[in-house]
Every structure is written in structure tokens, then in C-alpha cells.
Amino acid sequence: MHVPDVSVVVIVYNDAERLPTAVQSVLDQTLHGVEVVIVDDCSKDRSYAVAQELESAHPGRVRAFRLPENSGGCGAPRNHGIKQAVGEYVMFLDSDDVLERNACRNMLDAARRTGSDLVSGMCVRVHLDNRWGKTTEWYPWIYARTRTLESITEFPDLLVYDTLSTNKCYRRAFLLEQGLEFPVGIHYEDLLFSAQAYVAARRITLIPNHVYFWNVIEKAAAKSISNRRHEIENFVHRMEIHRRVDELLAAKGHTEIKSAKDAKFLKHDLVLHLRDLPLLGDAYRQEFARLANGYLAGIDPAAYEHVTNLQAICAYLLGKQDWDNLLPAADAMTNKGRLTSPLAERDGRVYWCAAHLDDAEGRRILDVTDQGFATTALTSLALGNRLTSYEDDGRGTVTLSGAVVNPLGRIRPEAELKASLEFRARRQIGVRSFSFPVSTVRHAGDTIEWNATADIGSTVRPFGIIDAVWDVRLKLTAGGSRLTTRVSVGGVDLEKAARLRVRPRLTRLVSDRFEPEVTKKGNLSYVLTAEGAAAVRTQTLINSAMHGKAAGLVKRGLRKALRTRRNLGSGEQKVKVYHEVFSKLPVKKGTVVFESHMGKQYSDSPKAIYEEMVRQGVPFEAIWSYAGGKPTGFPKGATLVRRWSWPYLRALAQAEYWVDNQGFPLALTKRPGTTYIQTWHGSALKRMGFHEPRTKAQDRAGQRRFQAAVDRFDHFLIRSEHDARTLAKGFRLRDEVLLRTGYPRNDALVAAHRSEAHSGERVRGPLAGEFGIDPEKKVLLYAPTFRANADGAVEGFEFPFDVEEFADRLGDRFTLLVRTHYLNSVTLPPSVAGRVIDVSKHHDITPLLALADGLITDYSSVMFDYAVLDRPMLFFAYDYEKYANDIRGTYFDLKEKAPGPVVATADELLQALAAFDEADAKYAEARQRFLTEFGEYDRGDAAARIVEKFFTRSGK
């Protein structure tokens, strides 16, 4: 008998309908030596009968087994599958998921090539009930590149974050030799099994390929284990599994992994349950606190250094069982950016609450001064608004009362208050919202209390089909400030709330009641339902109305009308109009569309080219793209168009030139009569384009789309042959596309350096006066790049060093300018005013570089530009190993080529700054080597050369 290469164990329980799809995904594998081992956990439906039918239809490839009694989890059927498997390698698949077509081949090839006991690939969550086809890669940064580990200690984050068993391929002999089995009778079995496998494996290989598609239905009637967090037994199981993993790590002496796992517990596992606390009763909270605090007592104290301010606050308040302050904090964690506490101020510091400030640890953790709550404009704060009572008349009228947080009493007692209550359809079709006056709104110390009665039955008129969910908002005017807040349910019990009668515009057979509901984030909403005098008869009428011939005509007509209206503004429709209508219009000679950082700024090389054209008096029509709300900082002499608006699309379709530094929308094809000048936004340290493992891992269609987008570039500016070897190769650009001109944005820096070298004087210019900088102090610019979290999303900026300590120790010598990446923002504590200045809102960084006597950065491409000035640079690379190796890799080792000190800790940073003058002389030769390698074409005339080549008659 031929031994299969891979046995895929498919477990099933009461899932007869989806089982064939899961099995077919295995049978369709491009690797043919694959068998399917179906294990039914004693289902009550036809699951086992379907498994037997599949076995009969595919003899020799599918085998079916059934457990004698239901085990209540995934562990027992998977263990049975391991025993029945005969393949050289084993994989696991749940009946409601599927394998990627090449999963078995890719994982087997990696296993045999490396001799690994375990191969792991990327899992993709597929959100089946999302109408946009949303997918989410599971911790993609772990799988940025192929890598083989001799021990899990080389990459602890793998054990900490990727705890799935299903995106992995195991050598069967390894499982049997190590006696590895899933725990039975307890949930979260994957966490323990994966940890045991990681620790036991002699070699582990990671591949950057999609291997497993995890199908997720958020609104499923029957919740999965991980979505039943309101059951205390669920938390009991989670805690028990964590204890067993901790015992395993302790037995193996893996203290560093344990610390990293503790940090993840605080940031993820605990947070998941804390978010539900405001909606659960006292009995649950007390038992939850007992279980959680018992486990938290064994957490490594160092783990708290790796969590957010709010996560640490929640853990601390949970330990104190301070529900009055914890529940608002948990609400704030669920609703990112919402301020749910009135705060407290002591000795110039701001704290989350007034309690526990007599405890030194409490003062440290509860200190939120750096969050800027005291200095941010009131209108920019999302204030918490908690429901305090809910009453209805059983028909169509509801009376609500609530309290809005008044942080630090910033809404003064003398401020005039007005408010209205708004009911707004989440899908805004037809009438967008209905408002009701708030009868009472008054100051109440730490809060603003309000009360409103809404006659929903006679006022709110939904369509009845398309606008099924309605959200509630309070619009508050306090003096000159206008604030809009969502209404959170808090501890108000809505179980006995009546369904309110409404009058749909289409038909009451579709829906005639508003049912109050709590959203996933704990906010009040209403959902349309149907109810009549006789529920059964009404449901029959509804079914008849919804599925009959007449209803079909009505629904089709309504859908068509709504689709037409909705699609007019959709991205798909805009792209279609761009290609089929606007691109048929004539190209307008002399029209140039400029864009910097996708419309977020008036800056960079597009700005330098534009201003050079204006300086030379070139006749042209300038159109600048902007993103977001009202544009600020853009030139008055240009036409401004909002990115993705109709005028924007028409301008791009008819422009003679496109000039930008990042990329016009990928879906828009450039016309043959348009010339695209791509200035790019910096030389590359990080791998780019097709050099990125994730781009390589895309399917052919995805790679073709990316290649088509970069093939639009007619000209691509580079500042060194390093760019030609990296950026150009990464984007697969032909050599004739490259313009070896340098960056126009750096012309000003070249001129500043030449002037300084000629005169021997530093001219700081008007910005120094604008910032109020002491002429006796040196100016340092801190310009870090952004960070992404485990899910790939951009993280909020947090100082990796104590900015107050910098101000205290070095503020008499230096003024520190802080310029965050344009994807980030920063809030400075009031105590550092004048010594540390936030300059992030300045669109163009070039004048800031020219102003600075020294640069502090990490991996930002500003290092290459600042090299033109031949001034000191300092590299604060506190997370270099993770950044360079665990995300997408770098083209060179920064530590080897850096033209300045590379430091890893805040203490080293401050020590290096204290020796600033010494480092200036020490690294002079290194700076010249750096500039020669990375800035050889920056000669100060890039903008002029571009204008001459493309926009003047002599150039043409």
C-alpha cells in the first residue's frame, strides 16, 4: 500500500452541510499524495452519514470514523485522527474551514527541504458575513519571510501569538515520539498543544504562504467557544490552559518566552474578557476577578512595560476590584479613543481617577498626563456618555437618561447647555436621521446629566428592509463647543425593554417594531423586527410577502433603485466612470496633477517641482490633491481637488502630467497621453515591492495588479545607484525609466550645506523664530518611522524614551523638535513646553531638516536626506532585531553603515546626546561614505532639471 505524504484530519460535529466543502479542499490539493481522515464527534445530524458517503465516493483517499460519544471539544477527535493517520505528515482541518489549494505541497516541500518536525504557514480569516468580502491575515508579520528555527527560543513570538494548530504540518513520527496529544474536556486546546509542539520540535520552518482559510461568521446564532466570553466557564478554561502552558515553559526554563507570553496575556487574553465586563452582572464580575487576580499574581512585572496605558490601568483596577473606575476604563478600551472617566489632577499631573493615588504603584499606572486630555480641544475628545435609565410605554415612546463625562470640569458651570437625541440609520438610505429635543440637560459635577423622551412610533420612519439597524447619539452644545457622543448602555438592563412600534415606509409585513440592542462595543442601537397580534400568522405573512411573486418584483425594483443610488458614489462605480467616460475626454495640455503622500501633505519633491515651475514662470495649470476635510497649507495659486472625488478623477483622466511621491490610486489606468513622473518618497532601508515576501506570496492575479500599477511610471527619480539596485529592482522598473537627478526636495538642503560651508555660519531661518527657539541652544530633530502591530495595523505613537527626563537633563543645551511619521500623531506633556516642541503638523520636513543641528531617527528614510547636510545623526534602534528580521527585512545592516552612534536603550540615547559634539567629529568620515553611497546624484539642481526636461519649451 502506498503511504500518503500527508494525512489531513478533518473533525466534524453537527456540520453535515459544510463537511463536503472542507473535504473537497483537501481532495483538490495540487499535492496528490494526500489522504483525508474524517472523525465525527458523535454528531446528532447526518455528519457521519455524509462522511461515509464521501468515503464511498473516494475509496483509498477518504476514511471516516466516529467517536462512540460526544467529547464536547476538538481535542478527542483530533487525537483519534492522529492514531488513524498513516501519512508521513499530519495536518488538521475543521469542517467549516478549507485549505488553500497549494497548502500541502508548500508545507511538505519545506518540511523535506529542512528536515523540520513542524512547518507553519499563514492563516487567513475569511469574514463570510461581511458584504465586502473582508479577509484578515493572522499575524502576517510572523510570516514575512521563510525562516527555519533550531529552537523556539530563537523566535518566542511564534509561540506567544500563533497558537493555532490548523495552519501547521507535523511530522507524524514526531507527534508519536513526543506523545503529543490535545487536552480533552477543556476548551482552548490549541494553545497547549501548539506550545507543546513548539517546545518539543527540534526544527521549525515558517513559510510566507497562505495555507488555511478560517471561515468566520460574526453574527452566527450559535457562538463559537472563543465568542462565548460571557460564560464564566469559558474564562475558567482559558485560565487553566494558560497555567498548563506556564508550567511547561517553567519546566523547560523558558523564562523569556514566559515574560513575552505574559505581556500578550495582558494585551489580548485579558482584554477580550474585560471588554465584556460592563455588560455582565455582579456575580460574574466577582468570580472573574477572583480567577483573573489569582493568575495575575504570577505575571512577570516586566510584562507591564509592554502594554498600553489603558491596558495597565484595567489590570491594576481589576486587582483592586474597583468596579466604579474599572468599568469606564474597560468601556474606553472597547471604544478606542473614548474618554470615559472624569479624570483627576494632582500637582500638575493628570490621573485616570482620584482613587489609589496614595499608592506609588497606583500613581505610576494611573498617570495619563501624556495622553493630552487636559490640553486637547474639547471638540476633539470623544467623551463617554453612559445610559443611566431606560423606560418605555410599551408602545412607541421611550425615555432615556444619561451622563456625559466632564473631564477635569472643562465644561464650565457657567456654560450654556443644549442637546438633542438623534436616531440615525447605520445604512443611510432615504431620510438619514431623526432628532428629538432633550428636555433636561444640566451640570452635575463630573458629568453632564440629560433626559429625553422620544416618540419613535410616530416620528421615525424606516424603509423597513434596507435600514435594519439604527444607532443613538447625543448631540451636545456646551458654550461654543459642539460635541457628538454615542450612548453606551453601561449597567442598564434592557432584557425587559419593550419592542417599540414603528411605521415602515414600505410595508409593515416586513417589520413593524424597534428592538433595543447592545452593540459589540456596548452602545445602544435599535434593530427592526416583525411582530403582530398573532406572531405565527404574522411570520407566515412575512414569509409570503418576502418570497411571493409580487414581493419579488417589489424587492428587485427596490434593490435596483438602491443599488443605483449607492453605486453612484462607490469606488467601483468611480473607477468605471473614470475609464469609460473621463478617459474619453481630450487630454488638457499644460495640466499637471500633483500629489504628496496620497494627498495628506503639500510637501516633498512634488512641492519642490511645483515651486520651481512657479519660480521660472512656466505656463501650466496646477491641480493639487488633498485628503480628508478642509485642506490647509496648500498653495492658493492651484486648484484643489479632494482625493477620490469626481473632480479628482476627471483631473487625472485629462492631465498631461502626473507628479507624485507615493502612488496615485492603483485601480486607475494611466492614459497614453499622460506622463507619470514618480519622484518617490525616500531611499530604501526596508525591502520594497517584489522584494517583499508578502508580495511574492500573492497569487498571480495580485502580482499582475501590482505590476500594472508600477508599470504606469514613465519616469522614476533616484538619488543613487543604491536606489537602482533596490527600489528599481523591487518595482521591476526598466533602466530607461530611471532619472538619475537626485530628489528635488533635497535641493534646499544642498543649498543650505553649500552656504554654510562657504560662509562658515549657520543660518536658521524664520522657523526658529516661529518656534521660539533659544539661539543659544542646539536644535535636535527626532523623526522616527511608524510601527505596525501584530495584525499589520499602524500603531499609535508612544515615546520610546522619557521625554520629561530628556527635558530635565538636556533641556538647557538642546531644543528637541518631534516630527512623527505622517501616519502617527503625538501629545506632549505640558511640563516640557518650550524644551520639546511637536512639529508634526508641518507638512514639509525639509525646512525642519535644514533647521536641525542634529537628527535622531531609527529607520526612517530621512537619514538619507539629512546626510546631504553633513551634520550629526544618532540612531535610536531600540527594536532593531524585530524591525529588521521579523517584519519584511532590510537591504543592509544599519549597524554597519550608520553614520552615527546606534543605541538601543533610553539611557544610551541620553548618554550619546550628552557627548553630541564628540560624536560629530568621530563620525565625519562615516557621514561622507554614507552620502557617497546613498546620495551621489543629489547635486542641488534636481527640480530645475525636471522642469527643463518636461515643462519648458527648450526641454521639450
Side-chain angles (χ1 to χ4, degrees):
M1 174 183 173
H2 175 68
V3 176
D5 296 313
V6 179
S7 296
V8 179
V9 176
V10 182
I11 64 170
V12 61
Y13 176 69
N14 288 351
D15 198 16
E17 183 177 346
R18 291 180 292 190
L19 177 61
T21 302
V23 171
Q24 194 63 46
S25 78
V26 183
L27 298 175
D28 289 343
Q29 287 291 300
T30 54
L31 178 71
H32 297 300
V34 180
E35 73 157 348
V36 184
V37 178
I38 305 174
V39 182
D40 173 56
D41 197 11
C42 199
S43 297
K44 298 178 181 178
D45 68 351
R46 293 192 68 254
S47 291
Y48 185 57
V50 171
Q52 291 177 310
E53 292 167 5
L54 290 167
E55 182 179 46
S56 298
H58 303 280
R61 295 200 68 193
V62 177
R63 294 185 289 137
F65 302 90
R66 187 183 194 189
L67 298 185
E69 60 182 20
N70 177 248
S71 68
C74 301
R78 285 179 182 158
N79 291 338
H80 191 74
I82 295 172
K83 294 175 183 176
Q84 298 298 334
V86 295
E88 184 182 359
Y89 291 86
V90 176
M91 295 175 62
F92 301 106
L93 174 64
D94 293 345
S95 61
D96 52 349
D97 300 328
V98 295
L99 293 182
E100 195 276 335
R101 192 164 180 265
N102 301 293
C104 292
R105 177 180 297 280
N106 288 335
M107 300 182 94
L108 181 67
D109 286 349
R112 287 180 171 168
R113 185 178 68 253
T114 62
S116 293
D117 292 327
L118 186 161
V119 177
S120 189
M122 196 183 303
C123 172
V124 180
R125 285 168 59 93
V126 180
H127 302 266
L128 297 180
D129 52 355
N130 180 274
R131 53 191 170 133
W132 309 116
K134 176 183 175 183
T135 61
T136 309
E137 293 179 334
W138 187 256
Y139 299 116
W141 54 275
I142 290 177
Y143 298 97
R145 61 185 176 89
T146 300
R147 62 187 301 179
T148 297
L149 312 172
E150 300 300 327
S151 166
I152 189 61
T153 57
E154 295 178 21
F155 191 28
D157 281 355
L158 179 60
L159 182 148
V160 172
Y161 288 97
D162 189 359
T163 57
L164 301 177
S165 65
T166 47
N167 60 334
K168 296 171 178 62
C169 181
Y170 310 84
R171 190 167 57 86
R172 186 167 65 90
F174 160 69
L175 296 179
L176 298 178
E177 290 165 4
Q178 298 293 329
L180 293 180
E181 291 187 340
F182 290 86
V184 177
I186 188 169
H187 302 318
Y188 303 107
E189 57 280 307
D190 270 21
L191 274 72
L192 182 58
F193 180 84
S194 296
Q196 291 171 330
Y198 285 140
V199 169
R202 288 179 290 271
R203 183 172 293 168
I204 302 167
T205 294
L206 310 180
I207 60 174
N209 304 88
H210 292 169
V211 298
Y212 194 91
F213 294 113
W214 175 4
N215 292 324
V216 180
I217 302 177
E218 297 287 350
K219 300 176 182 177
K223 294 292 186 182
S224 66
I225 296 299
S226 58
N227 284 328
R228 299 208 298 266
R229 292 186 297 272
H230 60 284
E231 301 174 4
I232 194 64
E233 191 67 18
N234 183 288
F235 191 62
V236 171
H237 285 204
R238 187 186 287 269
M239 290 295 91
E240 177 58 28
I241 288 292
H242 273 287
R243 287 191 182 91
R244 294 187 192 182
V245 174
D246 291 347
E247 290 171 1
L248 169 69
L249 296 177
K252 300 295 183 180
H254 293 322
T255 54
E256 289 187 8
I257 299 180
K258 167 64 164 59
S259 182
K261 176 184 168 294
D262 286 346
K264 193 246 186 177
F265 176 83
L266 293 172
K267 293 192 292 185
H268 176 74
D269 302 76
L270 184 63
V271 166
L272 286 176
H273 291 268
L274 285 173
R275 286 172 172 170
D276 295 329
L277 283 185
L279 308 176
L280 299 170
D282 288 339
Y284 178 97
R285 293 174 190 167
Q286 296 298 331
E287 181 63 10
F288 173 80
R290 185 186 68 80
L291 293 167
N293 288 331
Y295 184 78
L296 288 173
I299 289 282
D300 182 355
Y304 286 91
E305 301 299 323
H306 301 284
V307 302
T308 67
N309 200 185
L310 204 51
Q311 289 164 353
I313 287 173
C314 285
Y316 176 82
L317 294 174
L318 177 64
K320 299 294 184 181
Q321 296 195 40
D322 181 353
W323 304 110
D324 290 341
N325 290 306
L326 172 58
L327 296 181
D331 184 14
M333 198 157 46
T334 303
N335 295 274
K336 188 176 180 180
R338 181 180 292 179
L339 176 57
T340 56
S341 172
L343 307 178
E345 189 171 5
R346 299 286 189 277
D347 301 323
R349 307 296 296 176
V350 178
Y351 299 92
W352 180 257
C353 58
H356 317 295
L357 299 185
D358 55 345
D359 172 23
E361 183 72 357
R363 286 196 305 276
R364 184 182 67 80
I365 291 176
L366 297 171
D367 191 328
V368 293
T369 308
D370 293 347
Q371 303 300 309
F373 295 133
T375 56
T376 302
L378 200 60
T379 52
S380 297
L381 294 176
L383 300 182
N385 183 5
R386 183 176 54 86
L387 199 65
T388 55
S389 71
Y390 182 100
E391 298 177 1
D392 61 67
D393 63 358
R395 297 185 297 276
T397 301
V398 61
T399 299
L400 307 176
S401 298
V404 179
V405 167
N406 182 11
L408 301 175
R410 293 185 60 187
I411 301 177
R412 309 300 300 169
E414 62 272 13
E416 183 181 358
L417 302 177
K418 295 180 182 179
S420 62
L421 199 62
E422 178 187 63
F423 288 71
R424 177 180 289 268
R426 192 170 294 174
R427 296 183 65 184
Q428 297 173 9
I429 306 297
V431 177
R432 299 168 68 86
S433 63
F434 297 89
S435 293
F436 300 90
V438 169
S439 56
T440 303
V441 55
R442 66 184 186 86
H443 293 275
D446 289 340
T447 62
I448 304 296
E449 295 181 349
W450 57 271
N451 178 275
T453 298
D455 184 1
I456 293 174
S458 60
T459 306
V460 177
R461 300 294 310 279
F463 272 100
I465 297 177
I466 203 71
D467 51 352
V469 182
W470 291 66
D471 295 315
V472 182
R473 290 176 170 83
L474 182 79
K475 293 194 168 184
L476 173 66
T477 301
S481 300
R482 296 183 178 181
L483 313 170
T484 300
T485 66
R486 287 295 303 273
V487 179
S488 66
V489 174
V492 174
D493 186 5
L494 298 182
E495 287 294 325
K496 297 181 180 179
R499 294 179 173 184
L500 307 173
R501 295 178 182 176
V502 290
R503 295 184 299 155
R505 292 175 181 272
L506 293 177
T507 169
R508 293 191 183 185
L509 289 178
V510 177
S511 54
D512 64 352
R513 291 291 189 276
F514 249 171
E515 182 173 9
E517 183 179 83
V518 183
T519 69
K520 288 198 302 182
K521 292 189 174 183
N523 299 316
L524 177 64
S525 66
Y526 285 86
V527 178
L528 281 166
T529 61
E531 183 178 292
V536 175
R537 184 181 64 182
T538 301
Q539 190 61 51
T540 302
L541 290 171
I542 290 173
N543 291 337
S544 175
M546 293 297 286
H547 302 294
K549 291 183 178 179
L553 291 172
V554 172
K555 286 197 292 181
R556 284 193 294 274
L558 176 64
R559 280 198 297 265
K560 184 177 181 180
L562 293 174
R563 191 183 305 117
T564 300
R565 175 174 179 165
R566 180 173 65 249
N567 285 348
L568 281 175
S570 70
E572 180 182 356
Q573 185 70 12
K574 284 183 173 181
V575 170
K576 185 176 181 181
V577 171
Y578 169 85
H579 288 108
E580 296 183 5
V581 180
F582 291 160
S583 291
K584 301 296 189 293
L585 299 174
V587 171
K588 295 171 66 176
K589 293 293 184 180
T591 300
V592 187
V593 176
F594 296 90
E595 184 171 286
S596 180
H597 294 301
M598 296 185 290
K600 294 182 174 68
Q601 299 176 351
Y602 171 62
S603 66
D604 214 84
S605 291
K607 173 188 175 184
I609 293 172
Y610 167 78
E611 293 185 348
E612 180 65 17
M613 294 172 72
V614 172
R615 189 188 69 79
Q616 291 192 27
V618 175
F620 71 109
E621 180 185 353
I623 300 174
W624 270 91
S625 145
Y626 72 92
K630 185 178 179 181
T632 58
F634 287 85
K636 295 181 179 179
T639 299
L640 305 185
V641 292
R642 187 193 303 271
R643 201 170 196 268
W644 271 112
S645 67
W646 293 112
Y648 173 81
L649 296 173
R650 179 164 181 165
L652 284 176
Q654 293 192 271
E656 184 179 8
Y657 291 95
W658 292 358
V659 180
D660 91 318
N661 65 353
Q662 193 154 343
F664 288 108
L666 302 184
L668 304 182
T669 302
K670 181 185 69 68
R671 298 174 65 177
T674 301
T675 298
Y676 190 165
I677 304 172
Q678 173 56 261
T679 69
W680 204 239
H681 53 276
S683 297
L685 170 62
K686 297 175 291 187
R687 294 188 177 274
M688 302 293 292
F690 286 97
H691 291 164
E692 287 189 60
R694 287 179 61 185
T695 306
K696 292 179 181 178
Q698 286 182 345
D699 57 24
R700 290 182 180 178
Q703 290 191 357
R704 281 196 300 269
R705 286 192 296 271
F706 182 77
Q707 188 64 64
V710 297
D711 282 348
R712 297 178 303 173
F713 303 160
D714 295 300
H715 304 283
F716 188 90
L717 274 57
I718 63 173
R719 56 195 304 266
S720 69
E721 286 307 302
H722 167 78
D723 292 350
R725 294 189 300 270
T726 56
L727 289 170
K729 297 296 184 185
F731 293 144
R732 297 178 178 173
L733 301 177
R734 304 181 312 278
D735 189 70
E736 57 266 29
V737 172
L738 306 182
L739 290 181
R740 291 169 167 83
T741 60
Y743 283 168
R745 72 184 185 194
N746 289 341
D747 291 348
L749 301 181
V750 174
H753 176 59
R754 287 175 180 168
S755 174
E756 182 177 340
H758 178 72
S759 66
E761 297 180 5
R762 281 275 285 111
V763 179
R764 286 183 166 179
L767 271 185
E770 182 181 328
F771 296 148
I773 294 174
D774 185 340
E776 299 300 318
K777 293 183 181 180
K778 288 188 181 296
V779 178
L780 298 176
L781 176 65
Y782 177 46
T785 191
F786 68 92
R787 302 293 192 279
N789 64 18
D791 298 319
V794 175
E795 294 181 341
F797 176 78
E798 293 185 11
F799 275 103
F801 60 92
D802 189 333
V803 69
E804 290 182 307
E805 183 179 1
F806 167 88
D808 292 340
R809 288 175 56 175
L810 301 171
D812 58 338
R813 291 179 56 194
F814 299 105
T815 297
L816 181 66
L817 307 181
V818 178
R819 174 57 148 72
T820 60
H821 190 277
Y822 69 87
L823 295 174
N824 292 139
S825 59
V826 65
T827 300
L828 296 173
S831 59
V832 301
R835 295 175 292 175
V836 183
I837 304 171
D838 177 19
V839 295
S840 302
K841 292 183 179 179
H842 279 256
H843 279 206
D844 199 355
I845 196 173
T846 302
L848 299 173
L849 295 174
L851 171 61
D853 297 294
L855 174 71
I856 307 170
T857 187
D858 41 22
Y859 325 110
S860 172
S861 63
V862 297
M863 71 175 81
F864 302 107
D865 304 289
Y866 196 73
V868 171
L869 293 164
D870 190 25
R871 297 177 191 164
M873 281 189 269
L874 196 154
F875 298 85
F876 186 24
Y878 57 90
D879 56 352
Y880 183 70
E881 296 303 322
K882 180 174 182 179
Y883 190 89
N885 299 321
D886 298 346
I887 301 177
R888 70 191 198 203
T890 60
Y891 285 116
F892 61 88
D893 188 342
L894 178 63
K895 293 181 178 180
E896 291 181 2
K897 292 184 181 287
V902 179
V903 298
T905 68
D907 284 340
E908 291 176 352
L909 171 66
L910 296 177
Q911 289 172 16
L913 289 174
F916 180 79
D917 294 331
E918 179 183 330
D920 185 1
K922 181 179 178 181
Y923 286 90
E925 291 185 9
R927 291 200 299 271
Q928 285 303 313
R929 289 196 301 270
F930 194 79
L931 178 61
T932 299
E933 182 173 358
F934 298 109
E936 60 187 301
Y937 300 133
D938 274 334
R939 303 187 184 106
D941 60 352
R945 292 175 64 186
I946 296 298
V947 173
E948 180 182 3
K949 181 175 178 65
F950 297 105
F951 301 110
T952 64
R953 291 183 179 179
S954 60
K956 292 186 177 182

